Amino acid sequence: MASVVAALAVTAGLGYWGYSGLFANESSDDPQVKAATAAFEEFLDAWEAGDAPRAARLTDTPDNAESLIKSVMTNLKPSKTEIGAGTGERKAEGEVQIPFTVKMTLPGAGDYAWNSKAKAVEKSDKWKVAFSTHMVHPEMVPGQTLALKSRDRAAILDAKGDTLQSTSLVGVVDEKTGKGMSGLQARYDQQLTGGSGPVKSVVVVDRNSGQVVKKLTGAKASQGKPVHTTIDSKVQEAAAEALGGVKKNAAIVAIDPSNGHILAAANMPSGMNRALEGRYPPGSTFKVVTAAALLKQGMKPSDRGDCPKFVHVNGQSFENQDQFTLPAGSTLRDNFAHSCNTFFVNSRGKLSDSTLHDTAGAFGIGGNWDVGTAVYTGSVPVANSENDKAASTIGQARVQASPLVMASTAATVKAGAFKQPVLVPDAVKNEYKAPGRLDGGVVDSLRDMMRATVTIGAGKALKGIPGEPHAKTGTAEFGTETPPRTHAWMIGYQGDRNLAWSVLLEDGGSGGSDAGPIAAKFLKNLVG
């Protein structure tokens, strides 16, 4: 409700609802002033309520008034509006001048207020507001309106300095408030906008061109600084194209093993960044870690071991996918390449309750990674039972990882040592160092077995692709259904370049037959 109020001085030093004392509060005994003020307050009530047609009918130029008031209120979208009239003064017979104050709370711009004055004129025994653009706001002239302008927001860039094209990584900005709501836009909101404070300013714009004519607030805001990432646009595009048409939730991550730079993080659909933050059982891709533990205990890739259909541990049954078996005389290398669950479960006796946890540490799993964005670094708890240890050998039970973690696992084999993944180098202050390191012989054996996965094993989808791909497949059970549903995984690295990667297909079936073709498409995209 419009009321007689003292006017607010619009200066940087005053509180929003502070008063300047410019206008007197006393009412007038002049009948014309009283009548004019009453008519003007009716106009202000309608304006305050955002009812442009009603306000316009109380003016001498209804069409102009409705158009401008509607424009101002639509552009500013105030969450709160208070407009109050001061004490009117008769300027001539049938003409009264009335000061007034407009106060608004604006999304992204905060509190804003201004003083103005209007004339009310008597025509045919009725008082009308003499409407003008200058009356609405004294800084405007005809042909102009008020609007909100977002503070110039710096860009999020890829490794070459071009604008990063990845919604899942970049995130979104709230159109109303101008603040980053997710992804890098949220994490680096102050850097991108130039600091704290309102992210939008009130401006005068030309109604025809939309060009800013004058800035009314926020003139001293500092400039935002871009965020530089390690994303390689070609690798990111290859990953995104490989996920095109995929009907399941899916993700691809690519890393440079030499420095840990994240080259790609693609998600299908975009939105949730499951590539970096997702938590999943890694299934048989974790056999890279289990094999490393067995090799450290003295096993060799040529050591023989059976691969039966089933293994039972304290009444719990473990089996191979589709209950396959391998011929007698099969080796660790064969069992790894074909991803035999029962062999690895049967090998648990060579491992202590903490061996897998400790070996995972050499791959950086579970560490406090300072990446420059939110990530999930995985978890490999110390086994609390024989069954827990058995399931952990094949990446089940309580073992959890993200696609980023499994790409990093492959990168560790390629590089020979863990190198913490990095997305925003300028933001990394304390790069995580793994508490242990893989022996050179263990690394050599893992490389040989990951290559065998492609040439003779479950990773045959990559066979013949240039770049000498090394891989490990994974089919990870989840949920309580019978038979259980499965996530499909494939991880690997290229022998001819610094590129390690992982592919996850949620509820996607088999690692070899379902994740494999996506990985193949990704690698083919890279070689044209």
Side-chain angles (χ1 to χ4, degrees):
M1 177 71 180
S3 60
V4 178
V5 297
L8 172 67
V10 186
T11 63
L14 283 177
Y16 179 49
W17 302 119
Y19 299 106
S20 69
L22 179 64
F23 303 141
N25 282 324
E26 65 273 9
S27 60
S28 173
D29 293 328
D30 187 321
Q32 286 202 348
V33 171
K34 286 185 175 181
T37 300
F40 184 60
E41 286 186 336
E42 187 178 353
F43 163 79
L44 294 183
D45 283 344
W47 179 3
E48 181 179 284
D51 190 344
R54 180 162 68 93
R57 289 194 294 270
L58 300 169
T59 72
D60 59 354
T61 53
D63 291 343
N64 291 341
E66 180 175 351
S67 176
L68 184 55
I69 292 173
K70 183 181 292 184
S71 172
V72 167
M73 299 302 281
T74 299
N75 292 346
L76 297 184
K77 296 180 176 66
S79 60
K80 179 181 180 182
T81 304
E82 291 187 14
I83 311 177
T87 302
E89 178 184 358
R90 189 200 292 210
K91 291 296 183 179
E93 185 67 25
E95 182 180 305
V96 175
Q97 182 172 284
I98 308 170
F100 67 98
T101 299
V102 182
K103 310 171 185 177
M104 292 181 175
T105 300
L106 306 174
D111 298 330
Y112 178 62
W114 70 91
N115 298 324
S116 190
K117 55 188 176 182
K119 284 183 181 180
V121 294
E122 186 180 24
K123 293 182 178 180
S124 302
D125 296 325
K126 288 187 178 181
W127 287 92
K128 294 283 186 178
V129 177
F131 188 84
S132 70
T133 302
H134 187 76
M135 178 268 285
V136 173
H137 195 294
E139 297 292 332
M140 293 196 304
V141 299
Q144 297 177 348
T145 187
L146 298 179
L148 291 178
K149 181 182 184 298
S150 295
R151 189 189 299 178
D152 290 337
R153 194 176 186 90
I156 297 173
L157 307 174
D158 62 24
K160 289 185 176 180
D162 297 324
T163 301
L164 178 59
Q165 303 296 321
S166 172
T167 302
S168 298
L169 286 175
V170 172
V172 297
V173 176
D174 188 291
E175 292 184 359
K176 291 183 178 180
T177 66
K179 290 186 175 293
M181 300 300 294
S182 62
L184 298 177
Q185 293 284 13
R187 187 181 184 95
Y188 297 98
D189 187 66
Q190 288 198 19
Q191 176 180 331
L192 293 166
T193 59
S196 58
V199 295
K200 292 188 177 182
S201 57
V202 182
V203 294
V204 177
V205 299
D206 183 272
R207 295 189 69 179
N208 289 325
S209 67
Q211 293 296 310
V212 175
V213 176
K214 186 179 299 184
K215 200 169 185 179
L216 301 178
T217 67
K220 296 182 179 179
S222 58
Q223 294 296 310
K225 296 181 180 179
V227 171
H228 296 269
T229 72
T230 58
I231 296 296
D232 183 310
S233 59
K234 291 183 179 179
V235 182
Q236 179 71 25
E237 183 178 351
E241 288 183 355
L243 295 180
V246 173
K247 303 302 182 183
K248 301 279 189 175
N249 291 346
I252 295 177
V253 176
I255 294 176
D256 183 334
S258 69
N259 54 22
H261 285 184
I262 298 173
L263 306 177
N267 294 278
M268 176 60 70
S270 61
M272 175 189 172
N273 194 355
R274 60 183 56 82
L276 304 186
E277 300 179 60
R279 303 184 180 201
Y280 308 92
S284 291
T285 59
F286 188 73
K287 288 173 184 172
V288 172
V289 177
T290 306
L294 293 172
L295 290 164
K296 187 176 182 180
Q297 298 304 311
M299 287 190 72
K300 297 180 178 59
S302 59
D303 286 355
R304 295 183 178 182
D306 292 337
C307 177
K309 284 185 181 180
F310 303 101
V311 168
H312 296 90
V313 179
N314 296 327
Q316 181 179 1
S317 179
F318 294 88
E319 64 183 59
N320 300 319
Q321 188 175 14
D322 299 327
Q323 299 180 5
F324 76 83
T325 62
L326 293 178
S330 294
T331 63
L332 167 60
R333 183 174 185 265
D334 296 325
N335 281 289
F336 182 95
H338 292 280
S339 204
C340 178
N341 291 334
T342 55
F343 168 86
F344 282 91
V345 170
N346 271 339
S347 299
R348 71 190 183 280
K350 299 180 182 296
L351 310 173
S352 73
D353 288 346
S354 63
T355 301
L356 289 178
H357 169 81
D358 296 341
T359 305
F363 288 86
I365 299 174
N368 185 21
W369 299 2
D370 185 6
V371 177
T373 191
V375 298
Y376 176 62
T377 67
S379 177
V380 184
V382 172
N384 58 19
S385 69
E386 194 69 11
N387 294 71
D388 189 52
K389 180 166 66 172
S392 295
T393 65
I394 56 175
Q396 298 284 173
R398 295 176 295 148
V399 178
Q400 293 278 294
S402 62
L404 173 65
V405 165
M406 297 318 299
S408 178
T409 297
T412 299
V413 176
K414 166 71 174 179
F418 170 74
K419 183 71 176 177
Q420 185 213 275
V422 171
L423 180 67
V424 185
D426 292 343
V428 175
K429 306 301 181 185
N430 298 296
E431 194 168 305
Y432 179 74
K433 305 296 182 184
R437 188 181 178 97
L438 299 174
D439 295 338
V442 170
V443 171
D444 289 342
S445 295
L446 289 175
R447 290 170 178 167
D448 172 67
M449 292 192 293
M450 290 182 73
R451 180 59 181 158
T453 299
V454 175
T455 58
I456 65 168
K460 61 184 179 181
L462 308 186
K463 198 171 183 179
I465 292 178
E468 199 180 70
H470 295 58
K472 183 68 193 80
T473 57
T475 304
E477 296 180 355
F478 71 96
T480 59
E481 295 182 17
T482 304
R485 296 162 73 175
T486 57
H487 300 311
W489 287 88
M490 183 177 273
I491 69 173
Y493 67 87
Q494 299 305 91
D496 69 340
R497 62 183 293 188
N498 282 317
L499 180 75
W501 45 268
S502 71
V503 173
L504 166 71
L505 191 61
E506 283 188 26
D507 193 18
S510 166
S513 60
D514 295 303
I518 297 174
K521 186 177 179 181
F522 167 58
L523 297 178
K524 288 175 182 176
N525 288 344
L526 288 175
V527 297

